[in-house]
Every structure is written in C-alpha cells, then in structure tokens.
C-alpha cells in the first residue's frame, strides 16, 4: 500500500522533437489518481545526457518512475534505471521495446512492465498501490513482473481499448513546454492529432503490438473539438493527423472533412496512409477540407520486395496514388526502404526508376530508409540467427545505430558523414551493420541517395547556390567515405571541438555546455 507522497516522473530518454502524446494521456490518468506528475523528455533542441536524466530524477524524488523504452541505446537506459534504483522507488516501463522484450527489462532493474496500451493498466496499478481491496499484481492484465521468488510472471494481455472515448483527457501540463517552443513561437506536440489507433497492415518490418491491427476511432466531434481548442489556445493553424492509416475508413474521412468545413476551422493539415486506400474522390474531399500533404508508405519500387515485406500494395497502386495526388496539387512525401537481405542490385535500380518516374511530383523522400530489424518484427525473427544479430540492441558495437543516426547519436559528427546528414543516411548498408551487401549494391544505393538528396534539396533549400554547394560537398564526402568510412568521422569532430562550434543537431563544446547547463537547471527546478 502506498504511504509516501504520490509523486510520479515520466521519462522519455531518447531524443524526439515534440511532446509525446502518450505521456499526456498517462499524466491525466495519474493526476486523476492524486499523483503529482512531471515528464522529462529528451529533445533534439535541448539534449539531455544520461547523467541529466538521473539527476533530474534524484532532485524530484518520486516514488514511481515510468520509462518509455524504445530499442535505441537501451543498455544506457538500463544503466540509468539501475543508477536511480533505491529502496522505496518503483520503476515501470512501457513502450515498444518493453512490450517486445519484457523479460529483458525486468532483468535490468524494471519492476513492472506495462505491455501494449497503458492507460487502463496504469489506472489499475494506481488502485493497487493505493490498497484497493481485491486487487493484486496477479489480477492486473497487461503487465509483467517478478514474483517474490524472482520468477517472471506474464499476466494475460489486456484487450485493446475498444471505445477511444474511454481514454482520459490529454494533459500537457506535465511537460516543460518551453523546451518544445519553435522560433515561430509554436509548441511542438500540440500540432499532432490522433483520430484513431491501430494499423490493419501486416508489414514484416513493423511491430504492431502497442495498438494492434484493428483500427479504433475517436468520434469525429471529439477530434474537431480538440483541434478547435488547440487552435484557439495555442494559435496553431497547421496540424498533423498522426494516424498510421488515416484513409482506411472512407466514411470517417468524409465526416471528418465535412465537419472541418462546417465548423469553418480554416486549418491546414497533412496525413499518412497507404497507396491502395485512396482514390480521386477521397483526395478531392480532403483537399477541399484543407489537407495539403499526404505521406505514402510506398516502401519499394521493386515488385518482389513489395511482396516479400507483405506490404499489400502493387507497384501500379504505388504509381497511381502519387499520380492522383500530384494531379490534385498535393505535396507528397514518400517513404522508400532498402537493404533487405534478399535484394540485389536490380531492386535498387527499380527504386531509382520509381524516384525518377515521380521526381517532379514528390516533395520529399524519406532520408533514412535502410531496414532495421527491430524486435517484435517478422524480419527480426526470420533472420536473427542466420545473420547473427540476435539481441543486437544489447551489444556495444550496435549502440550508435538507429533509423537516423545523425539525429539519435549524442555526437552526430562522430557517427555520420556530411552527405549522410544532408542527403541520405546509408550507414547501415555501407557498413553492413545487419546484412551483407555486394559493393555493386552499395554503390547503387549511393546513386539512389544522391537522387533523393537532389529532389529533397529542391524542396528544402530554395537558394540555388546553397543547393549546389551542399551537393558538391556531399560528393566529396561520399568519395572520402568510400575510401575510408572513418576518416571524416574522425577529423570533423576534432575540428568542431577545436573551434568550440555549436552543433545544429545537439549542443557541443563550451558554448553547448553552458546551454545544456541552463536547460538542466530549468528541468530540475
């Protein structure tokens, strides 16, 4: 039974660019149960080291600490957990990695793992900690823990929340919101809106355990009310509909768009979806309601790869969706992946053909599309033994790898090159981190990288001189990288350190130290 002060700290240890909506839901649950809540979120603009996270926890002196676990640098997260552990402190972990690897988390200092969706499970845990009659750890669905003998117990999974109306109201007051304010004065995180949870797809590179494959919707009226509130309260005029597959339910899309127009909200918005569930009529309806950009998970211009990743779309649909969207005047964002273990040079050639076919239509291509075999995915389970990367996230040699290495790494210049930061990050392929590739394959990926980079520079760098300089320097960077992959990553950090240069990705050197010291002071006060 809980007898101490009810203080709960939520920690998002890996850097992100905005306030995580999931924490806003959890904060609301905790406050309804009488807890004082503080969220510590590592962000790109105010980068926190592991010492910073531990010190912030020690200053706050909570009774409970909740960690969001993703796969990237999870050993450092575990070290932080062990550092802050002391009698009377309970550590809870949730998120994709905790859901996929609960035993591992429990062996590394976590007391309770919350699997899948966490709101109802956390609410019941609060009742248990408060001594509710008839409630025990063994009776709470969706958690894993160790019994008094040290044996791991996995309770039955909790059913997914069928009615999203049962979710609590969002509470963003747990965040230090100024850490997420842009130069334009907007708070990143408030612009992100969810209409649904779940994704019906069966892609082999994706783990769908958190929200499941059945799509559940927020009522349109509730979504519109939330958009109106954020627009009025925070002067937000452009929103991201963050659903995995926004256009899955045509009626919902029509009702949403009509409600936007009926309420005269006059906002701009964008969304993500699949190429096989859009058509001209739906896109026109979205365009009339203020949608300006659609992001498509095309993944590959190679038919064989599309089949083997179980994408559920054809190459013809991948072309048609982009053509139709471009004809209606949408900005188009396309996700392409490469580096699958079965691919040969021809697969990359087909990606290049796709890019060239839609070069003038697509606004931005994804800049980090190398496959990462995350735990919980079919790709990981299929190839982990064959290629020897079982539990790769726990091994020291893999700790600097993620989808976008230059954003995730504490020192981006030490782990990526100029062209990888500016054009396309092919580190995982060129350095054969997970799978082996022929030199011809890697060279062809380099060709694709520069094609993607050229397209993206046209959209992001309006000045022709600047584009030309970036592209030329990238060519030099690539040549150096092919000659010696470590040369630039060794020399550039030394130059930056000598000049006391402040990184545009993270803060480094004496100037960066002072900036981080001020940010840490704001976090712990």
């Amino acid at each position: 039974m809980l007898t101490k002060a009810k203080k709960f700290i939520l920690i998002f240890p890996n850097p992100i660019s905005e306030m995580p909506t999931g924490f806003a839901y959890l904060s609301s649950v905790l406050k309804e149960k009488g807890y004082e809540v503080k969220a510590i979120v590592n962000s790109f603009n105010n980068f926190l080291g592991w010492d910073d996270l531990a010190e912030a926890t020690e200053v706050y002196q909570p009774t409970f600490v909740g960690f969001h676990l993703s796969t990237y640098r999870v050993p450092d997260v575990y070290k932080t957990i062990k550092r802050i552990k002391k009698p009377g402190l309970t550590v809870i972990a949730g998120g994709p990695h905790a859901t996929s690897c609960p035993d591992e988390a429990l062996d590394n200092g976590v007391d309770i793992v919350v699997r899948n969706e966490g709101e109802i499970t956390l609410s019941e845990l609060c009742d248990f900690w408060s001594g509710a009659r008839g409630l025990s750890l063994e009776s709470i669905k969706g958690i894993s823990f160790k019994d008094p003998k040290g044996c791991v117990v996995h309770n039955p999974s909790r059913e997914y929340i069928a009615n999203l109306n049962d979710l609590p109201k969002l509470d963003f007051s747990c965040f230090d919101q100024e850490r997420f304010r842009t130069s334009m004065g907007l708070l990143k995180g408030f612009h992100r809106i969810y209409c649904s949870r779940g994704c019906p797809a069966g892609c082999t590179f994706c783990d769908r355990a958190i929200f499941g494959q059945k799509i559940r919707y927020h009522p349109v009226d509730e979504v519109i009310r939330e958009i109106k509130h954020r627009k009025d309260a925070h002067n937000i005029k452009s929103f991201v509909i963050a659903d995995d597959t926004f256009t899955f339910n045509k009626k919902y899309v029509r009702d949403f768009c009509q409600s936007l127009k009926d309420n005269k909200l006059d906002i701009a918005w964008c969304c993500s979806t699949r190429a096989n569930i859009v058509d001209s009529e739906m896109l026109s309806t979205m365009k009339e309601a203020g949608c300006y950009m659609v992001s498509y998970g095309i993944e590959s211009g190679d038919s064989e790869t599309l089949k083997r990743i179980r994408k559920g779309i054809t190459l013809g649909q991948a072309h048609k969706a982009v053509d139709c969207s471009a004809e209606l005047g949408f900005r188009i964002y396309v996700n392409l992946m490469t580096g699958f273990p079965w691919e040969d040079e021809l697969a990359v050639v087909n990606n290049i053909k796709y890019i060239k076919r839609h070069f003038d239509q697509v606004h931005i291509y994804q800049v980090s599309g190398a496959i990462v075999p995350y735990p919980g995915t079919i790709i990981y389970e299929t190839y982990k033994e064959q290629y020897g990367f079982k539990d790769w996230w726990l091994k020291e040699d893999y700790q600097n790898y993620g989808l976008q290495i230059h954003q995730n790494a504490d020192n981006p210049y030490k782990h990526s090159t100029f062209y990888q930061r500016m054009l396309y990050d092919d580190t995982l392929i060129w350095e054969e981190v997970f799978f082996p590739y022929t030199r011809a394959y890697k060279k062809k990926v380099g060709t694709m990288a520069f094609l993607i980079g050229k397209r993206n520079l046209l959209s992001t760098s309006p000045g022709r001189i600047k584009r030309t300089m970036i592209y030329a320097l990238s060519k030099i960077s690539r040549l150096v990288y092919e000659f010696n992959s470590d040369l630039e990553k060794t020399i550039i950090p030394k130059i930056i350190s000598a000049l006391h240069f402040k990184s545009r990705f993270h803060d480094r050197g004496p100037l960066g130290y002072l900036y981080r010291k001020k940010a840490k002071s704001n976090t712990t006060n």
Side-chain angles (χ1 to χ4, degrees):
M1 182 182 297
L2 181 65
T3 57
K4 295 184 179 182
K6 300 173 73 170
K7 298 178 70 174
F8 206 114
I9 192 167
L10 297 167
I11 297 180
F12 204 107
N14 296 123
I16 56 174
S17 62
E18 60 190 55
M19 293 175 280
T21 302
F23 273 16
Y25 279 123
L26 298 180
S27 176
S28 183
V29 169
L30 291 166
K31 288 184 177 180
E32 287 177 3
K33 298 295 182 179
Y35 284 84
E36 177 185 328
V37 186
K38 185 179 183 69
I40 302 297
V41 180
N42 202 351
S43 66
F44 294 124
N45 288 334
N46 295 284
F47 193 78
L48 297 173
W50 306 109
D51 289 344
D52 300 328
L53 296 174
E55 290 170 15
T57 304
E58 291 163 3
V59 169
Y60 190 64
Q61 294 189 329
T63 308
F64 299 92
V65 179
F67 277 86
H68 176 277
L69 291 191
S70 59
T71 302
Y72 180 70
R73 296 203 73 95
V74 74
D76 287 317
V77 181
Y78 290 150
K79 290 176 185 176
T80 304
I81 289 172
K82 292 172 182 176
R83 172 176 170 176
I84 66 174
K85 284 280 287 186
K86 59 183 179 181
L89 179 66
T90 300
V91 176
I92 302 95
H97 193 83
T99 295
S100 296
C101 306
D103 295 72
E104 175 191 297
L106 294 170
D107 287 338
N108 283 278
V110 174
D111 296 300
I112 300 172
V113 169
V114 176
R115 308 190 310 270
N116 310 117
E117 290 176 312
E119 292 87 359
I120 295 177
T121 302
L122 183 59
S123 178
E124 290 189 8
L125 280 170
C126 289
D127 291 338
F128 165 73
W129 293 324
S130 296
R133 298 182 68 178
L135 197 60
S136 64
L137 281 181
E138 290 78 9
S139 67
I140 299 175
K141 289 184 177 181
I143 66 170
S144 299
F145 59 95
K146 287 187 176 182
D147 66 17
K149 295 182 180 180
C151 298
V152 172
V153 177
H154 298 299
N155 287 356
S157 296
R158 181 176 297 279
E159 299 81 5
Y160 290 106
I161 301 171
N163 185 355
L164 297 190
N165 263 345
D166 293 338
L167 287 169
K169 298 295 182 183
L170 291 163
D171 170 45
F172 287 93
S173 66
C174 63
F175 300 104
D176 177 3
Q177 295 181 6
E178 290 306 310
R179 294 172 64 86
F180 300 94
R181 190 176 295 279
T182 69
S183 59
M184 302 294 290
L186 298 178
L187 292 169
K188 296 197 73 174
F190 284 124
H191 71 300
R192 187 172 292 271
I193 294 287
Y194 288 87
C195 296
S196 68
R197 285 183 172 183
C199 178
C203 304
T204 62
F205 55 82
C206 186
D207 180 10
R208 299 167 300 282
I210 293 294
F211 293 134
Q213 288 186 270
K214 182 178 180 180
I215 297 185
R216 298 146 289 143
Y217 290 92
H218 291 280
V220 169
D221 290 347
E222 288 295 323
V223 176
I224 297 299
R225 190 176 297 115
E226 184 66 24
I227 290 174
K228 187 177 188 305
H229 165 71
R230 297 193 199 183
K231 180 184 178 183
D232 295 342
H234 304 288
N235 194 33
I236 300 174
K237 299 176 182 178
S238 181
F239 289 86
V240 174
I241 306 301
D243 303 31
D244 290 324
T245 315
F246 174 67
T247 64
F248 181 75
N249 186 318
K250 290 185 177 182
K251 183 180 184 305
Y252 188 94
V253 173
R254 288 196 300 269
D255 291 347
F256 174 78
C257 292
Q258 188 61 50
S259 190
L260 282 177
K261 292 191 288 186
D262 291 345
N263 284 273
K264 299 179 180 179
L265 287 178
D266 191 26
I267 62 166
W269 54 282
C270 60
C271 67
S272 299
T273 193
R274 295 166 54 83
N276 63 329
I277 51 175
V278 294
D279 55 41
S280 180
E281 181 182 358
M282 177 185 289
L283 289 169
S284 295
T285 299
M286 291 162 55
K287 184 75 173 177
E288 292 170 3
C291 185
Y292 70 95
M293 184 169 78
V294 180
S295 175
Y296 289 111
I298 302 300
E299 316 311 353
S300 182
D302 180 66
S303 295
E304 178 63 21
T305 291
L306 285 176
K307 291 177 184 177
R308 296 187 68 164
I309 63 175
R310 304 180 192 174
K311 186 64 190 176
I313 67 172
T314 66
L315 192 55
Q317 290 169 331
H319 287 307
K320 185 177 179 180
V322 172
D323 288 338
C324 186
S325 301
E327 185 177 338
L328 291 168
F330 281 94
R331 283 188 176 184
I332 303 165
Y333 187 108
V334 166
N335 297 277
L336 289 177
M337 303 182 71
T338 191
F340 293 101
W342 58 79
E343 287 188 332
D344 56 17
E345 189 178 347
L346 179 60
V348 188
V349 170
N350 287 333
N351 272 347
I352 291 172
K353 288 180 179 178
Y354 187 89
I355 295 167
K356 288 182 176 179
R357 162 81 159 72
H358 300 289
F359 190 86
D360 294 326
Q361 297 172 320
V362 172
H363 185 68
I364 292 287
Y365 281 96
Q366 181 185 11
V367 298
S368 54
I371 180 65
V372 178
Y374 285 112
T377 66
I378 294 174
I379 287 284
Y380 172 74
E381 292 298 332
T382 302
Y383 295 103
K384 64 182 180 181
E385 300 291 349
Q386 180 180 352
Y387 291 102
F389 53 69
K390 185 176 185 291
D391 296 340
W392 60 265
W393 51 88
L394 296 177
K395 301 173 183 177
E396 184 62 32
D397 290 346
Y398 288 84
Q399 292 312 301
N400 293 311
Y401 297 117
L403 274 181
Q404 265 186 283
I405 292 167
H406 67 268
Q407 284 192 354
N408 291 321
D410 56 357
N411 187 337
Y413 302 97
K414 187 177 179 181
H415 303 294
S416 63
T417 65
F418 182 85
Y419 90 87
Q420 289 165 340
R421 294 189 297 274
M422 294 296 171
L423 301 187
Y424 185 89
D425 193 343
D426 64 349
T427 307
L428 301 181
I429 293 173
W430 189 261
E431 299 181 14
E432 301 184 24
V433 174
F434 296 107
F435 302 107
Y437 308 100
T438 66
R439 186 171 182 85
Y441 182 91
K442 292 190 283 188
K443 292 277 283 186
K444 192 60 67 174
V445 170
T447 301
M448 186 185 79
F450 277 85
L451 186 61
I452 285 175
K454 180 181 289 187
R455 172 60 266 177
N456 291 352
L457 283 174
L458 288 170
S459 298
T460 60
S461 298
R464 183 175 180 179
I465 294 177
K466 182 179 180 180
R467 291 200 306 268
T468 302
M469 288 182 62
I470 291 173
Y471 198 78
L473 288 172
S474 295
K475 284 286 189 181
I476 296 172
S477 174
R478 174 71 187 194
L479 289 172
V480 172
Y481 188 65
E482 290 186 17
F483 172 74
N484 185 330
S485 62
D486 292 325
L487 187 59
E488 182 184 333
K489 292 182 286 188
T490 300
I491 295 174
I492 297 301
K494 292 180 179 179
I495 295 175
I496 289 172
S497 178
L499 295 176
H500 305 321
F501 180 70
K502 184 176 176 181
S503 165
R504 78 178 183 89
F505 296 104
H506 304 311
D507 304 311
R508 294 291 170 266
L511 292 178
Y513 171 76
L514 293 174
Y515 190 80
R516 287 179 62 228
K517 186 176 181 181
K518 180 180 178 181
K520 183 171 72 174
S521 175
N522 292 337
T523 298
T524 55
N525 287 339

